[in-house]
Each structure stands twice: as structure tokens, then as C-alpha cells.
Amino acid sequence: MAFHELHERLCPTCGHRISATAPKCFNCGAYVNDEDDDGDDEPRGRRPIFMLASAVVAAVIYIAALVYLLNP
Ligand SMILES: [Zn+2]
């Protein structure tokens, strides 16, 4: 992906090329919501679930290690 493609996107209303950081299209004035576009941001709610899953995996590994050490 080229550099400019990370910083520009097309207005969903009129198709005009606008800055990726612009809150609204300066061509037609439509507000731009970036949640459905470039995929750089994770959807809300995924990260807490990921952290919980990581904690569970870490706990399982920790318990398995304890069991192994206590029962050689
Ligand atoms: Zn527009």
C-alpha cells in the first residue's frame, strides 16, 4: 500500500478524495465515519476479549507449570 493511500480515502457520499483524518468531506460536506473503512482500528469490544483470552492462556500455562513442578 502506498503512503498516500494511508492518508487519503474516498468520501462515501460523493467519492471525492479526502484526508483520512478529516472529520467531514470538504467537497460535499458529509461527515465521514472511519469505522467501516481502512480496518486499522479494531472494532470496539475485541480488545478486552483478547486481553481476557490472553489472561486465561497465561493462567493455564502457569497452573500447568505448577502441577508439573509439584508432581514430577
Ligand atoms: Zn463528499
Side-chain angles (χ1 to χ4, degrees):
M1 178 174 278
F3 178 79
H4 72 276
E5 290 176 327
L6 296 175
H7 298 273
E8 289 182 347
R9 56 185 165 174
L10 299 180
C11 172
T13 301
C14 69
H16 195 80
R17 190 178 299 169
I18 61 177
S19 169
T21 57
K24 59 186 286 189
C25 174
F26 54 78
N27 184 55
C28 71
Y31 283 92
V32 180
N33 187 341
D34 63 355
E35 287 188 22
D36 60 351
D37 196 352
D38 57 18
D40 278 342
D41 298 322
E42 294 188 22
R44 291 192 187 100
R46 179 183 292 181
R47 185 171 294 274
I49 292 174
F50 175 75
M51 291 177 65
L52 178 62
S54 297
V56 170
V57 171
V60 169
I61 293 173
Y62 181 72
I63 292 173
L66 275 181
V67 170
Y68 176 77
L69 290 174
L70 294 176
N71 301 285

